[in-house]
Structures are given as structure tokens and as C-alpha cells.
Amino acid sequence: MSDNNLHNYPDRDGFFGEYGGQFIPEHLIKIMNDIRDSYFEIRRRKDFQEELEKLNKYYVGRPSPIYHAEKLSAKYGGAQIYLKREDLNHTGAHKINHCLGEALLAKFMGKKKVIAETGAGQHGVALATACALVGIKCEIHMGVIDIEKEHPNVVKMKVLGATVVPVTRGTQTLKDAVDSAFEVLLEDPENNFYAIGSVVGPHPFPMMVRDFQSIVGKEARVQFKEMTGGLPDYVLACVGGGSNAIGLFSGFLNDKEVKLIGVEPAGYGLHTEKHAATMTKGTKGMIHGFKCYLLQDEKGNPLPVHSVASGLDYPGVGPQHCMLKDIERAEYVSATDKECLDMFMELSRLEGIIPALESSHAIAYAVKLAATLPKDKKLLVNLSGRGDKDVDYVASVLGVK
Ligand SMILES: *Cc1c(COP(=O)(O)O)cnc(C)c1O
């Protein structure tokens, strides 16, 4: 790695080291490069920057606060745990950060319809919201298993005016929803815009979604200094595709003393086949038009994956994370379904904050790590979303009366 400034990625062709790129047919490369060029154009424009800034402040409610979880920290007796409250954003998660950007870009490009996949339904709701605001049609593809699990989000999308397309093929979850949405994009690429829901897919999406999410890290760095007089010792976030993690990491990439930790879903355990711990157990491969670590069979087909958190249920992972792992700038660990569910209840009852099942993975690992550290160390965890969408499911699994 010749370049010490980690902000100088991806390269011209969309590579983070050897990961990322555009492994897609010729005609799709043109579509992606149109999006890239338009993105570079609006990014430079003052009116776009001002529009996005205004919406972030008055519509999303940014900056989201950082909260010192003192009771949680005290209970585990070690380092201090701070939460970046992305759950307090309009629509209840970090996803609105990139959805607003994508919807504005689609409108600027003169597109007629925005298409996307969704897992937990959070991307779907955030995108349907952004499309309602911007005034553009929205079509969301969703696996039927997720539709059942995340019923309230499905209703919200419909209320917001989006069309929800149930996906019944394959594992009927996130990966198949991506395939289904991609097919519709190809039917009319001139008028359709595919808004990818994480830092995955072909260039420019891992870069573009990262840029829109980097507001989380930029804010957090300033806020943390104001609150504590210094930087956190550890910065943690859950990793599905990796957008909330890279958003927060972006604020600290060049602060070598800050350790970056991504927490993956270990499902029933890493010794089973029911997990989605791509960084930990995957090998280099190709999915949805880009190169990354991948949970795959001998033929290179993505394996079925499992997590109690629908939003983490993806066999690939963002290319920038793959690079950060290889150069050892970030470390990737995991938390099981059980640890996640326990933390869901723990944070709810200790702090009065119901976390998303996705975010609970990061907090579960943070608490274990904190217990091994002295009291003056500080951990900043991305609370990527609120758990309202998950309460019925958790209550039924844990038998909450
Ligand atoms: C979608 C989602 C995630 C996972 O996506 P990333 O791209 O890995 O951030 C995490 N947390 C919440 C609340 C989500 O909705």
C-alpha cells in the first residue's frame, strides 16, 4: 500500500486496493459511469451541498447526539461506552443519510423511478421517505421472509407511496431481493435509478454511499472532542454491507491511535453454517458486480446466510472494509444471535433505549471489550438504528410477557 492517506480511496476505477471495481457487463458500466459523473458534478455544486445540508439539519434532525451510556458502562465495570445516536434520525436509522443523497441525485439525473432492495425494510422506508420528499417514484424489492418479519416497515413503505415487490425466489431474503431489483433496472436503465442500500455493488456505489454516510464520523469526531477533550480509544459498529460502520470510521481513518472494530453477525455461532460473518469466514470472491470477501461455495456462488438481524443478512461486504482488514487498519469480530438478543433487552432496560437488532451486535461486543479495559478508556459505538421494528419479533422469541 503506497498511499498513507486513507481518504484517497477508491482509485479512478473504483478499487480499494484489490477490492471493489466494476465486474459488470459493458452496457452496465456505461450506466454506472453516468451515475459516477453526475455524482461528481453535483458534489461540486454549491446548490446541491446547501440543499443536502439544509435537509440534514431540518428534515433528518442532524447532528445526532452522542450519549454517554453511564449505567451500561458501570454495570460491566470497565471502559466508558458512548453511543452515536443514529436511531434518533428521521425514519429511525442511519440509512436516511445516503437515501436523501441518492434520491436527490436521481432527480438531478432526470430519472423517473428509483428502485431498490431492502432487508430489514429500513433501506426501503428511508428511500420511500426520501423519494416522497423529492417527488420521484419508488419501487422496493423485498424477500417474503423479510416481509413477514418486518411487517410494520412494509406498511410504512406503502403509506409513503412506494410499490413493494415481494421476492419469492432462492432464500427469499436480501440477496435475492438484490437480484430481482437489478433485473428491473436493466429493463429500462435510462429511466430507472438503482439506489443501493449499503457500501456494496459496483463503483461508484461503495464510494458514493460512503461519502453520504461520512457525515456520521465527521460529526462524531467533533462531538467526542467537545464532550471528552479527546478522541475515543475504540470506534465500533455493526457490519452488514458496512455503510454505518464506514460512515463512522471515516471520521477517524487517519487517527492511527483510534482502533476501528467492525462487528459481524455470528448467527448460531461461527462453527455452524448459520451466520453472516463475511470478513471472518469469507474468502475473496465476486458478488453483485464487485470484488470483496464473500461467503461462497466451491463454484463461487454466494452461500445462504443467517442473522437474527435482517439488515445484516448479506454474504458479501463493502470493498473498503476488505482493504481496511488486509492493511490491518480495522479489525473484524462477531457477536451471536443470542448475544444480540440479550443486549437488545439489556440496553432497553438499563438505559431506556431500544436498539435495532443490527446495532445490538456492536453494543454486545463493545460491552465484552469494555469489561477487559480500564475505566479511563473510551468506546464509541454506532447505534445505527432504533429497535421499534424488532419489538414484536424479539418479544415472541424471548417470550416477553
Ligand atoms: C441496514 C442496517 C444495518 C446494516 O447495514 P450497513 O450497511 O452494514 O450499515 C445496520 N443497522 C441498521 C439499523 C440497519 O437498518
Side-chain angles (χ1 to χ4, degrees), residues 22-238:
Q22 293 176 315
F23 295 90
I24 45 181
E26 202 68 35
H27 63 286
L28 255 182
I29 290 185
K30 190 189 163 301
I31 297 170
M32 292 301 156
N33 288 347
D34 279 350
I35 295 175
R36 177 199 63 195
D37 294 344
S38 299
Y39 169 66
F40 280 142
E41 190 187 333
I42 59 167
R43 192 168 77 168
R44 277 193 303 269
R45 278 171 51 162
K46 222 171 171 262
D47 55 348
F48 173 77
Q49 286 170 18
E50 283 171 0
E51 173 85 10
L52 194 57
E53 240 168 67
K54 195 177 85 187
L55 291 175
N56 276 332
K57 185 168 175 190
Y58 297 107
Y59 188 74
V60 181
R62 306 208 66 90
S64 64
I66 288 180
Y67 169 72
H68 184 187
E70 291 185 55
K71 287 178 71 191
L72 186 71
S73 308
K75 179 162 177 187
Y76 291 86
Q80 299 306 305
I81 297 170
Y82 295 78
L83 304 173
K84 176 65 170 162
R85 300 287 311 272
E86 289 298 293
D87 60 316
L88 295 179
N89 295 339
H90 180 44
T91 70
H94 70 287
K95 289 202 173 75
I96 192 72
N97 300 329
H98 64 251
C99 287
L100 272 180
E102 287 180 321
L104 286 174
L105 176 58
K107 186 167 184 194
F108 171 82
M109 292 179 75
K111 301 286 184 182
K112 300 283 183 295
K113 186 163 79 175
V114 175
I115 303 163
E117 81 292 342
T118 195
Q122 291 295 97
H123 179 54
V125 170
L127 195 64
T129 302
C131 287
L133 176 73
V134 166
I136 194 166
K137 261 204 233 163
C138 183
E139 181 180 302
I140 304 293
H141 295 241
M142 189 170 185
V144 290
I145 289 182
D146 292 332
I147 286 182
E148 197 139 309
K149 220 162 126 186
E150 311 284 357
H151 181 70
N153 274 344
V154 177
V155 178
K156 274 190 213 161
M157 284 184 264
K158 291 180 180 170
V159 167
L160 289 162
T163 307
V164 179
V165 179
V167 178
T168 52
R169 68 178 83 176
T171 58
Q172 309 185 332
T173 55
L174 187 58
K175 187 210 151 276
D176 303 287
V178 177
D179 294 338
S180 168
F182 231 87
E183 281 164 21
V184 175
L185 167 72
L186 293 181
E187 284 167 14
D188 187 3
E190 284 300 311
N191 290 311
N192 293 342
F193 182 94
Y194 192 145
I196 294 181
S198 187
V199 283
V200 298
H203 182 59
F205 281 93
M207 167 188 75
M208 214 164 69
V209 172
R210 185 261 330 260
D211 291 351
F212 290 134
Q213 285 298 344
S214 66
I215 189 165
V216 178
K218 269 189 212 128
E219 278 176 12
R221 195 174 188 283
V222 174
Q223 289 170 314
F224 206 87
K225 276 191 150 173
E226 269 174 20
M227 272 180 97
T228 70
L231 294 175
D233 299 288
Y234 295 83
V235 166
L236 302 98
C238 64

Side-chain angles (χ1 to χ4, degrees), residues 257-331:
E257 70 276 25
V258 178
K259 295 194 177 65
L260 308 176
I261 300 181
V263 185
E264 298 195 297
Y268 291 169
L270 295 181
H271 59 286
T272 71
E273 283 174 1
K274 300 204 99 185
H275 63 75
T278 309
M279 288 291 209
T280 316
K281 301 285 275 188
T283 50
K284 292 169 192 180
M286 219 77 84
I287 183 173
H288 296 132
F290 72 108
K291 184 176 174 188
C292 64
Y293 282 105
L294 179 67
L295 293 166
Q296 58 186 326
D297 65 18
E298 313 79 51
K299 291 192 189 128
N301 296 315
L303 287 168
V305 286
H306 162 85
S307 169
V308 69
S310 303
L312 302 181
D313 222 346
Y314 187 64
V317 64
Q320 190 165 6
H321 286 292
C322 304
M323 183 187 100
L324 293 177
K325 175 186 160 97
D326 285 5
I327 65 171
E328 298 180 359
R329 176 63 190 97
E331 186 191 351

